[in-house]
Amino acid sequence: MATLLAASVLTGCMAEDMGRDLVSRAGGIIGNDTTVVAPDQNAAALNGELSNGERSELIDDLLNRRSVLPAGPYRQVASSVLAANSRAAEAELRAAMLRSKAREMNWLPSLGPTISLNSLGSIVAGLLVEQTLFDGGAKRAEREFARADVEVAAVALAQDTNDRVYQALDLYLTIQASNARAAVNEGGMSRMERFEYVMSERVNAGINDRADLQLVQQKLTQMRSDVLEDREAASSARNELAAMSATSLDGISGISNLGDVAGATQPLDVMKVSAEGTRTLAEARAMQAGYMPNITASGTIGQSDSAGIGIGIPKGLGFGRGADMAAIDAMGEAAELQVAEQREDSARAVAAIEGQVTSLRRQQANIQTIINQANDNYTLFEQQLRAGQRTVPEVVGVFRTKLDAERDAVALTYDLARQELKLALIYGTLVDGEDI
């Protein structure tokens, strides 16, 4: 029996080389298989070393990414929300790493108790030892699937972390933009109130009709309503941001200029679909191995030792075997096409954002001209009002046009900043790799 056990272990090692890549589209089988210890719960979530001891290029790529957020308000917001991150995706990654570690030992013999009742009515117990000698590469495919699953979980964690930072920065920009718009109206409030007073005096003196006063009052009321709406939006966003932050972010203001958002990196969506494709190929290899002969050695250690060799085909030789094999082959082709499709989708998303950025910058260049013209018009109309050539409602209308242009300029500044952050989100460059 000892001879059988020794032979089973040796043949288990040999079975590593007997599996064949049965899917025509499969590529890049991960090499030698060894075991490693389970990841430390206090260690960094991302670890480029896979369970077989090799380095994952995909995870190393994630680890080597650097945040485009410079020191300043953006970095302060990001650090605070990352410190309060519950990191559910990290737990999923650790689970995938543990599953991969377990799969690395699937080539070892399986041990289990065996209990039977003999013809004399007594119970016979023993130890059943079973070793796979040849399985068409099924166990190898299981290990490859587990490693690819780790990479998929790693990209998901990177996406989750970058998305959290983007959500926080989006709230931060909402606070800043709302306060800035409110400040524009508040800056012009005293002037509008002065116009209202002048109109009320002119109406009381019988110089102007009450309809003119109501028009001025309507514009003043709208300004007050806009200020209230802006302040409410800022307060709501501030409360949301506080709920996802570890420290107080009150007092932080301003925006930052981002560096090279893309660099030499590829979008996270593309990386995830690529990892999912690798996992799909491993699954296809495991499925196709089920149609190959399976050879196992087994033995029982107990009151009566026994040993034997078993040969079988797990999925049999049914009439639909050909169609099943073709479908499995198609899984590899589908995986490649999905990666190509995601590359196209990501490229379109990037192009759309870059086009929006170009448009916003053009509008920024034009809005200052509009503001200057509105200021000139307002100055001229006010002079004409003193000379009796213009009415108060006419001057109020020009003044509101000036304030609206200033509010639009504020909105453009923060809209442009938000688009740049969206681009960094696609490339996963909002967070340093070691901080994920």
Side-chain angles (χ1 to χ4, degrees):
M1 191 64 203
T3 303
L4 171 63
L5 289 174
S8 65
V9 174
L10 290 174
T11 52
C13 296
M14 294 172 60
E16 302 277 326
D17 302 322
M18 297 177 68
R20 293 293 184 266
D21 183 5
L22 300 177
V23 179
S24 59
R25 292 282 180 172
I29 296 178
I30 300 176
N32 298 330
D33 301 307
T34 58
T35 59
V36 296
V37 296
D40 182 1
Q41 292 298 324
N42 295 322
L46 280 185
N47 187 345
E49 185 174 347
L50 296 172
S51 56
N52 66 338
E54 292 190 353
R55 301 291 300 182
S56 166
E57 292 184 7
L58 182 146
I59 297 180
D60 282 340
D61 186 347
L62 295 176
L63 287 169
N64 292 331
R65 295 194 178 201
R66 290 294 172 265
S67 173
V68 296
L69 304 181
Y74 284 179
R75 179 74 71 165
Q76 289 176 277
V77 172
S79 298
S80 183
V81 298
L82 286 180
N85 193 0
S86 59
R87 301 178 70 82
E90 180 180 339
E92 295 177 2
L93 174 58
R94 294 194 186 280
M97 293 170 68
L98 290 172
R99 288 194 299 269
S100 181
K101 173 185 175 293
R103 294 297 180 273
E104 289 300 328
M105 294 181 285
N106 68 355
W107 59 272
L108 292 171
S110 60
L111 306 175
T114 176
I115 302 175
S116 62
L117 185 66
N118 62 20
S119 59
L120 299 178
S122 60
I123 296 177
V124 178
L127 180 65
L128 176 64
V129 181
E130 188 173 69
Q131 171 66 57
T132 300
L133 304 180
F134 178 76
D135 62 0
K139 293 189 180 297
R140 176 187 288 274
E142 288 179 6
R143 295 191 292 274
E144 292 173 359
F145 180 94
R147 294 174 203 138
D149 199 36
V150 171
E151 294 184 330
V152 172
V155 181
L157 175 60
Q159 287 179 316
D160 180 79
T161 307
N162 277 270
D163 186 61
R164 179 177 178 83
V165 171
Y166 172 78
Q167 289 178 18
L169 292 174
D170 182 56
L171 290 171
Y172 171 76
L173 290 179
T174 298
I175 297 170
Q176 298 297 305
S178 298
N179 286 336
R181 286 197 303 268
V184 171
N185 272 5
E186 288 173 341
M189 197 70 69
S190 61
R191 183 63 57 89
M192 285 294 293
E193 290 172 346
R194 176 64 181 173
F195 285 140
E196 182 192 28
Y197 171 76
V198 171
M199 278 301 302
S200 63
E201 292 297 315
R202 292 172 69 90
V203 169
N204 292 335
I207 301 175
N208 285 90
D209 187 81
R210 181 165 295 275
D212 294 333
L213 174 61
Q214 290 177 343
L215 180 62
V216 175
Q217 289 175 334
Q218 177 187 359
K219 292 184 181 298
L220 179 59
T221 301
Q222 183 62 51
M223 283 183 64
R224 289 169 176 163
S225 176
D226 289 343
V227 170
L228 181 60
E229 183 178 343
D230 289 334
R231 293 302 184 191
E232 288 175 345
S235 177
S236 177
R238 186 180 297 107
N239 292 337
E240 278 193 68
L241 184 58
M244 62 188 302
S245 303
T247 58
S248 174
L249 296 174
D250 294 339
I252 298 177
S253 62
I255 57 178
S256 304
N257 294 321
L258 303 186
D260 184 7
V261 173
T265 62
Q266 60 177 328
L268 290 181
D269 284 340
V270 175
M271 296 180 68
K272 186 175 183 181
V273 172
S274 179
E276 289 173 341
T278 301
R279 187 175 61 180
T280 298
L281 291 174
E283 180 184 10
R285 283 192 286 269
M287 294 172 61
Q288 202 159 10
Y291 291 98
M292 300 295 291
N294 189 316
I295 304 174
T296 59
S298 61
T300 303
I301 304 174
Q303 295 180 1
S304 57
D305 295 346
S306 64
I309 298 293
I311 301 176
I313 299 178
K315 295 188 178 181
L317 297 172
F319 290 105
R321 181 178 183 276
D324 283 341
M325 297 287 280
I328 294 171
D329 284 337
M331 291 174 65
E333 182 178 357
E336 287 189 351
L337 293 177
Q338 287 171 354
V339 173
E341 182 178 4
Q342 185 58 57
R343 289 186 189 279
E344 178 183 326
D345 291 344
S346 296
R348 290 178 57 190
V350 169
I353 293 176
E354 289 177 342
Q356 187 71 10
V357 168
T358 301
S359 175
L360 289 171
R361 286 176 176 163
R362 176 187 55 77
Q363 293 176 53
Q364 264 191 327
N366 294 336
I367 196 67
Q368 190 57 50
T369 301
I370 296 174
I371 292 175
N372 293 337
Q373 291 174 346
N375 282 328
D376 292 342
N377 289 339
Y378 171 68
T379 301
L380 177 61
F381 270 56
E382 195 172 34
Q383 292 173 350
Q384 292 174 340
L385 174 65
R386 295 192 185 99
Q389 298 173 341
R390 294 289 181 180
T391 64
V392 172
E394 288 177 323
V395 178
V396 167
V398 174
F399 183 66
R400 275 306 309 267
T401 300
K402 168 182 173 296
L403 293 182
D404 289 343
E406 292 175 354
R407 285 170 60 86
D408 289 342
V410 169
L412 285 173
T413 299
Y414 290 97
D415 286 345
L416 178 58
R418 186 173 283 108
Q419 294 299 321
E420 291 176 342
L421 290 174
K422 284 183 179 180
L423 198 59
L425 173 63
I426 291 177
Y427 285 101
T429 52
L430 290 175
V431 184
D432 286 333
E434 60 267 19
D435 291 337
I436 296 179

